[in-house]
Amino acid sequence: MLIEAHQLRRTFSSFERRQGLSGAVRDLFRTGGQERVAVEGLDLRVRPGEVVGFIGPNGAGKSTTIKMMTGVLAPSSGTLRVGGLEPHRQRQEHVRRIGVVYGQRTQLWWDLAVIEAFDLLAGIFEVPAAVYRQRLELFDRELGIGPLLRQPVRELSLGQRMRCDLAAALIHAPPLLFLDEPTIGLDVEVKRRIRELVARLNREEGTTVLLTTHDLAEVEALCPRVVLIDHGRILLDGSVGELRERLGGWRRLVVELEGEVDPGALSAALEGLPVTPTLTAGQVELRFRRSELSAPLLIQALSARLPVRDLSVEEEDIEEAVARFYGEQRA
Amino acid sequence: MRPSSRSVHGPSFGRRPAGQPGDTFGSGYPGPARSRLGLWLRYAAMRAKVRLAYRGDFALHALGDLLVAGIAIVFLVSLFSHIPHIRGWSFPEILFLWGMGEVSTGLFFVLFQGLWALNQQYLLRGEMDRVLLRPLDPYGQIMVDHLNLEDLPIVLLGLAMIGWALPGLPAFSLAQWLLLPLFLLCGVLVLAGTLTLFSCLGFLIHHRGTAIGVVYQASAFNRYPLDIFPRPLQRLLTFVLPFAFIAFFPASWYLGRTEWLLGAAVQPLVGVGLFVGARWLWGRALRRYRSPGS
């Protein structure tokens, strides 16, 4: 196992600031605060060479988990081993073997030229000169960063900066890569290039990747394994296929009728079928599970009793499904 | 379309056959450093280069600092043109003491400016994450990132003040000459240790970083003879905020005042001990770092 987390937990004591001047003064003398649990008893095992997608809503505990795995944050309790090391205690040794990209902020020095930052990082991570040159050529081919190297980091656009940030995180060829929302706010082309490089490193160098994202297309493109997390707990751990399965395999049949919908005729048509109808102006929307009901059967039942003008069947997309899943879990 | 559009921006990187000698990217990367120290020097050189690149900014900052230091000298000169002694301290003596303090303070600002950026930039804005993701000492990275060569002129000014004072002072022994750099460096450590100690507060209480500002203001006392202050303040400057160790205790030995000999003798110990202790505590406090935006 490359990553082994057992009952991993992290809490923060949070202060809710009181209002006004007197509140600020009273805040000064407050000691402990309220405990807020960010990650609650997380169990996770990741094998070398896996690409794991961490998904979940904002505040689900994804970033906190990543920060513990990278050694930036200490766990409050539980055990965590990455490559046999305790990330937080053996941090310097640990970070030599990982690469980390935060989509939200750069890890490069703001005022250095890109190539200067790369040179410095290569020095810090003790990359041999020949290897370094090869890496730069690879990054130029895959990410097109050659023309950016002489520019100061602060002058780069978001897309340019993210490509450079990814390259910077990979200079020392780390066997484990953490990507925290790496493609947030990027255009389609830059997203594609980043995903292709990550997929290639996984395929050719066996790089293990842990990715957090809101973008489910990204998960589908990159991650054979998905971990769904909320309130710091794992809700689901499996393949994208299993995720779809567990999330329901819901379908939607939208039927357009001639004239007004007759509720009596509709309920008669749907008698005994596992389906929930929603009525809108001249339209009926029917949700049903693929496993419980076949679309032709439903269409047959409907057209026997109602004047159907047009119809369409849609798969519920994964994004909606996840949102609904969270809704159910929280309810 | 692609290859031609790329060649507009610069040399074509992909076409060069592998293994051919030459620096494809124009990178001056010489390979890994031979030692830890070599790496730190390379890091520092990179930062220094950037600071020097903003020449106008550099000159303005240096000029401003020199002006502030210069006003103090003008004040001293005009003060002593009216009275020959202050509590038995002559002008050259005060000048020497002041010069020592100026050298240590100047060096402190060159090397430890990062302490001022710690709260806002690293703890509140979360740049500590970046620092922690590199296999180098975090404290060192922060200090090197804020290497502040603009204050080197202050060090030179301090040395000039010492030089100016010398003709009016009794001659120093060889041992005194040899020990002078040690006292000056340990003076830097006293200041750096004390402020590092207070900077740990940032990990415990979230604030904007004024605590070390206030403590630093108190360090201005280091350039005055201790015995002109009331007793409680003298004790404060010796035992609580030990700024008398920065320049006063060692300087008093050079000026032949034996009543503070013990202070001068232990100054290097105080400096090194305080700094090492503060660094240790800082490392402990770092464990409480809670990266923002979890």
Side-chain angles (χ1 to χ4, degrees):
Chain A
M1 284 300 145
L2 185 60
I3 301 178
E4 276 192 282
H6 182 65
Q7 286 298 302
L8 193 62
R9 184 182 151 91
R10 170 76 206 203
T11 59
F12 291 99
S13 56
S14 66
F15 294 89
E16 277 171 33
R17 292 245 161 89
R18 281 174 234 200
Q19 287 190 326
L21 187 62
S22 69
V25 172
R26 274 185 295 155
D27 278 345
L28 269 180
F29 298 99
R30 189 151 54 163
T31 49
Q34 267 185 326
E35 286 271 287
R36 182 172 65 77
V37 179
V39 174
E40 175 83 82
L42 188 95
D43 287 299
L44 186 73
R45 293 155 75 85
V46 177
R47 284 187 306 278
E50 277 194 290
V51 181
V52 180
F54 252 52
I55 55 177
N58 289 323
K62 303 182 301 265
S63 291
T64 304
T65 306
I66 295 268
K67 280 172 183 170
M68 284 192 279
M69 288 178 177
T70 54
V72 167
L73 278 180
S76 300
S77 65
T79 57
L80 174 64
R81 296 215 150 241
V82 180
L85 298 176
E86 263 186 90
H88 193 253
R89 287 184 194 282
Q90 294 154 288
R91 191 177 50 76
Q92 292 203 22
E93 207 183 326
H94 171 65
V95 296
R96 283 181 185 281
R97 306 191 210 158
I98 63 171
V100 184
V101 176
Y102 288 116
Q104 311 277 21
R105 50 177 180 242
T106 184
Q107 306 225 51
L108 299 168
W109 292 268
W110 209 241
D111 47 5
L112 290 187
V114 175
I115 188 69
E116 290 173 326
F118 285 2
D119 284 357
L120 198 48
L121 284 172
I124 289 174
F125 285 97
E126 296 170 21
V127 183
V131 176
Y132 177 53
R133 208 171 304 125
Q134 279 172 10
R135 295 301 277 180
L136 284 185
E137 276 166 6
L138 170 74
F139 299 145
D140 179 47
R141 258 196 326 273
E142 297 283 317
L143 299 171
I145 56 169
L148 307 175
L149 292 177
R150 293 272 155 216
Q151 292 188 35
V153 173
R154 66 172 182 282
E155 286 174 14
L156 300 178
S157 72
L158 180 64
Q160 292 172 334
R161 208 205 73 207
M162 277 317 300
R163 284 184 280 157
C164 292
D165 250 299
L166 180 63
L170 292 167
I171 276 179
H172 54 298
L176 176 57
L177 181 61
F178 293 95
L179 303 170
D180 194 358
E181 299 186 15
T183 58
I184 195 162
L186 300 183
D187 67 40
V188 181
E189 168 66 8
V190 177
K191 275 187 186 177
R192 185 186 61 77
R193 297 189 99 159
I194 288 181
R195 284 174 198 164
E196 274 175 15
L197 178 60
V198 170
R200 180 175 166 174
L201 289 173
N202 172 255
R203 203 169 54 236
E204 291 176 8
E205 297 180 10
T207 308
T208 309
V209 182
L210 230 88
L211 173 98
T212 76
T213 182
H214 287 291
D215 185 348
L216 288 150
E218 191 152 280
V219 172
E220 294 198 273
L222 277 175
C223 311
R225 182 176 166 198
V226 186
V227 173
L228 204 63
I229 179 172
D230 192 24
H231 284 96
R233 287 172 201 275
I234 291 178
L235 301 183
L236 191 149
D237 184 349
S239 67
V240 174
E242 279 174 74
L243 177 73
R244 278 190 183 289
E245 193 93 348
R246 269 285 295 279
L247 293 180
W250 286 91
R251 285 177 153 187
R252 191 163 43 196
L253 177 69
V254 183
V255 185
E256 237 175 275
L257 300 170
E258 305 274 3
E260 281 299 296
V261 184
D262 174 4
L266 182 66
S267 50
L270 299 176
E271 182 84 55
L273 295 176
V275 62
T276 33
T278 328
L279 277 168
T280 46
Q283 264 196 356
V284 185
E285 212 183 283
L286 300 147
R287 287 184 69 242
F288 60 99
R289 283 185 112 121
R290 175 192 210 134
S291 54
E292 293 170 348
L293 184 61
S294 80
L297 195 73
L298 181 59
I299 293 167
Q300 215 171 23
L302 277 173
S303 43
R305 303 235 178 178
L306 295 165
V308 175
R309 190 202 293 164
D310 196 8
L311 51 81
S312 64
V313 183
E314 293 162 13
E315 295 279 340
E316 183 178 57
D317 70 18
I318 198 166
E319 203 140 350
E320 277 177 87
V322 169
R324 191 174 38 73
F325 187 70
Y326 284 127
E328 283 166 16
Q329 293 286 327
R330 283 180 177 177
Chain B
M1 271 319 282
R2 279 217 142 269
S4 65
S5 74
R6 186 185 286 175
S7 62
V8 174
H9 297 286
S12 145
F13 299 107
R15 283 185 212 138
R16 195 183 61 92
Q20 187 178 304
D23 205 343
T24 330
F25 288 90
S27 144
Y29 180 61
R34 291 214 180 81
S35 67
R36 222 53 181 165
L37 182 66
L39 176 59
W40 280 112
L41 289 177
R42 199 190 284 179
Y43 193 166
M46 188 71 85
R47 298 310 309 174
K49 207 182 110 193
V50 171
R51 293 302 281 251
L52 290 171
Y54 298 93
R55 245 168 268 143
D57 197 34
F58 186 95
L60 211 64
H61 187 127
L63 200 72
D65 283 357
L66 273 178
L67 209 64
V68 171
I71 288 170
I73 297 175
V74 171
F75 165 73
L76 277 185
V77 172
S78 63
L79 185 70
F80 277 95
S81 68
H82 296 294
I83 37 170
H85 295 277
I86 297 175
R87 280 237 181 168
W89 296 82
S90 70
F91 177 60
E93 285 178 318
I94 296 282
L95 203 59
F96 179 77
L97 169 61
W98 199 284
M100 277 188 78
E102 207 74 68
V103 172
S104 294
T105 312
L107 269 178
F108 166 76
F109 272 108
V110 170
L111 297 171
F112 295 96
Q113 183 90 44
L115 286 172
W116 266 260
L118 179 69
N119 267 316
Q120 193 82 309
Q121 188 180 341
Y122 291 88
L123 300 182
L124 295 178
R125 282 216 311 264
E127 279 194 39
M128 189 65 93
D129 281 26
R130 158 173 71 80
V131 169
L132 290 173
L133 291 172
R134 296 185 179 145
L136 276 180
D137 173 59
Y139 184 89
Q141 285 185 68
I142 294 173
M143 297 314 141
V144 174
D145 273 343
H146 293 270
L147 192 67
N148 176 38
L149 297 179
E150 286 98 319
D151 278 331
L152 272 179
I154 301 282
V155 179
L156 295 179
L157 181 78
L159 290 173
M161 290 171 84
I162 293 174
W164 186 10
L166 284 177
L169 300 175
F172 297 163
S173 69
L174 181 65
Q176 280 178 317
W177 277 116
L178 291 176
L179 286 172
L180 189 58
L182 176 76
F183 283 128
L184 291 172
L185 288 179
C186 289
V188 178
L189 291 183
V190 171
L191 197 48
T194 310
L195 291 186
T196 299
L197 210 58
F198 279 90
S199 79
C200 294
L201 280 174
F203 292 96
L204 309 177
I205 321 162
H206 286 220
H207 64 110
R208 294 263 167 78
T210 44
I212 61 164
V214 172
V215 177
Y216 169 72
Q217 291 301 326
S219 80
F221 288 119
N222 79 71
R223 300 186 186 102
Y224 300 90
L226 196 63
D227 57 354
I228 68 168
F229 298 125
R231 278 259 160 218
L233 190 54
Q234 289 187 27
R235 291 216 185 83
L236 180 83
L237 290 172
T238 308
F239 300 107
V240 185
L241 299 172
F243 295 138
F245 286 93
I246 297 174
F248 175 73
F249 289 139
S252 63
W253 178 46
Y254 286 84
L255 304 174
R257 318 234 163 188
T258 46
E259 59 261 57
W260 294 288
L261 209 55
L262 182 65
V266 299
Q267 190 256 13
L269 280 177
V270 171
V272 173
L274 198 61
F275 186 67
V276 169
R279 278 296 316 271
W280 177 82
L281 197 77
W282 197 91
R284 299 283 305 196
L286 181 60
R287 293 186 196 175
R288 303 195 44 150
Y289 171 60
R290 33 181 298 172
S291 166
S294 47

